[in-house]
Amino acid sequence: MRIVSGIQPTGNLHLGNYLGAIRNWVKMQDDVAAGGGQSLYFLADLHAISQPHVPAQLAASTREMVAALVACGIDPDKSVLFNQAQVPAHAELQWLLNGTARMGWLNRMTQWKDKAGKNREGASVALFTYPVLQAADVLLYQATHVPVGEDQKQHLELARDIAQKFNNDFAAEGAPVFTLPEPIIPPEAARIMSLRDGSAKMSKSDASDMSRINLTDDADAIMAKIRKAKTDPEPLPSDKGGLEGRPEAANLVGIYAAMAGDSVDTVLARFGGEGFGRFKPALGELLVESLAPINARFVELRQDRAALDAILAKGAAKARELGGPTLNAAYQALGLVRG
Ligand code: TYM
């Protein structure tokens, strides 16, 4: 097994990232190490420049995100932890794959449609070709499995389409150049929604900080955000079916279930019939208790810039080594002469 996944170092790590992806990264890191496989996790800093950004903030957020991932349990001795900018093969392979990806495929990407909105002419070219870089990220390392939240599924399907077309077009006689990666999406936390709007995903780009729980929030902030989270006036139902048409209630129960490692039905068996006046404090306390150790480790780690840079440098050296053979094979398959 070869596990590869990434996160954009823009803003803070939030509960959606944690429950949707990072918790799975940690679990898979340990499973894979036990089975003799390899896990690679990276900061998608090259993706971050597809949208307007402040350079000094990107540099600071990149280091903070390393601290946050290590605080969550990513172990730089077990996983290869790095940032794309130190591994030029990501950008090189993207260019090679740009010859295979089709305009029509990229035009159908919902993230492109959402982020470009009505201003397609003014959007950056990088925002449009973003999913090709994402394909390069995983294909470069022959990833077999990619742990992500539901919102990244379409990008991974595109990565498979690109890999398949490249293998068909350029490796007809030889061995296929790329492995087709499988997404791994946690069923219980595939999509954590905003605390202010049950129909929008929890996101770093939401203007309201009250919409998300950041892993850096202290106990008071967490309790206040859960207390103010949008709900409806009904008590909680006693089974899952009763959450139908109640997106905010479903989201809070889902967060409780994912955090406690229980099923939604188990949570409702306990809280069914109760109002939010009882449920919200219980959810707040569960979050505070679960996130406190991560928060404490993060606060300590983020201060040691030299240690964070050393983690990235070591990870990047290993990533360059692991990605080299596939990059060479891609150049060769395309008939590009190099030295
Ligand atoms: P990003 O930085 O937006 O999010 C990182 C991971 O967190 C998951 N996630 C969520 N899961 C559940 N509920 C939510 N509300 C929620 N918000 C975010 C995302 O699905 C993701 O797994 N394009 C990617 C980064 C990337 C990447 C890759 C991922 C670049 N290259 C290669 C996998 C493989 C992104 O912007 O994720």
Side-chain angles (χ1 to χ4, degrees):
M1 256 178 134
R2 173 68 66 84
I3 313 296
V4 179
S5 199
I7 182 166
Q8 288 199 61
T10 41
N12 286 319
L13 200 60
H14 58 70
L15 196 61
N17 300 135
Y18 181 66
L19 294 175
I22 313 303
R23 209 168 55 155
N24 245 353
W25 292 14
V26 176
K27 184 174 172 296
M28 295 184 86
Q29 150 187 276
D30 296 332
D31 293 352
V32 153
Q38 179 99 61
S39 49
L40 295 96
Y41 299 124
F42 62 90
L43 308 172
D45 48 3
L46 294 181
H47 279 108
I49 63 164
S50 62
Q51 298 254 267
H53 77 286
V54 179
Q57 244 169 39
L58 177 58
S61 300
T62 300
R63 296 191 175 97
E64 291 230 325
M65 193 60 89
V66 181
L69 293 178
V70 174
C72 286
I74 301 297
D75 179 346
D77 291 328
K78 285 190 193 156
S79 293
V80 183
L81 179 56
F82 64 101
N83 60 319
Q84 285 166 324
Q86 296 198 58
V87 186
H90 288 247
E92 283 181 75
L93 184 59
Q94 179 192 17
W95 182 256
L96 301 188
L97 297 178
N98 274 339
T100 295
R102 306 287 96 184
M103 295 286 285
W105 298 356
L106 296 179
N107 256 325
R108 281 196 288 277
M109 293 293 112
T110 52
Q111 177 184 286
W112 158 248
K113 290 193 248 179
D114 288 351
K115 291 200 172 162
K118 294 209 172 9
N119 184 26
R120 287 196 178 192
E121 295 294 309
S124 74
V125 174
L127 190 64
F128 187 66
T129 60
Y130 179 117
V132 187
L133 178 58
Q134 184 156 345
D137 295 337
V138 295
L139 300 181
L140 180 62
Y141 302 106
Q142 306 287 347
T144 57
H145 297 85
V146 184
V148 284
E150 172 83 26
D151 62 330
Q152 296 302 318
K153 191 168 170 220
Q154 194 188 32
H155 284 161
L156 288 172
E157 281 161 3
L158 182 89
R160 291 173 63 91
D161 290 344
I162 292 175
Q164 195 142 37
K165 181 165 167 54
F166 189 103
N167 286 344
N168 281 340
D169 291 355
F170 304 113
E173 284 138 47
V177 176
F178 298 117
T179 303
L180 268 52
E182 292 285 345
I184 306 265
I185 299 173
E188 73 289 359
R191 218 172 149 75
I192 302 292
M193 309 310 279
S194 156
L195 299 178
R196 310 299 292 166
D197 174 1
S199 66
K201 72 171 180 178
M202 186 177 285
S203 159
K204 307 179 241 226
S205 52
D206 194 314
S208 166
D209 196 54
M210 294 304 281
S211 70
R212 61 185 161 258
I213 305 278
N214 302 305
L215 264 64
T216 49
D217 285 343
D218 62 20
D220 289 347
I222 293 174
M223 293 306 279
K225 286 178 178 181
I226 294 296
R227 200 166 50 242
K228 296 202 177 123
K230 187 174 166 197
T231 46
D232 55 41
E234 303 296 319
L236 284 172
S238 46
D239 62 38
K240 212 172 168 173
L243 290 170
E244 200 83 13
R246 300 177 65 186
E248 283 84 15
N251 188 39
L252 294 186
V253 173
I255 291 174
Y256 192 105
M259 203 78 219
D262 283 334
S263 70
V264 166
D265 280 322
T266 308
V267 177
L268 291 176
R270 186 163 154 214
F271 291 101
E274 303 269 15
F276 286 99
R278 288 285 298 274
F279 180 67
K280 280 182 165 181
L283 174 60
E285 276 160 30
L286 174 66
L287 289 171
V288 168
E289 194 185 304
S290 314
L291 299 180
I294 295 178
N295 196 306
R297 277 198 300 274
F298 170 73
V299 169
E300 197 185 313
L301 289 163
R302 75 194 296 199
Q303 287 159 1
D304 195 344
R305 178 171 160 171
L308 299 173
D309 285 349
I311 289 173
L312 289 179
K314 179 178 128 180
K318 183 74 185 166
R320 286 193 293 266
E321 181 193 317
L322 290 171
T326 301
L327 183 67
N328 285 338
Y331 272 111
Q332 202 178 3
L334 290 166
L336 294 161
V337 178
R338 302 162 88 209

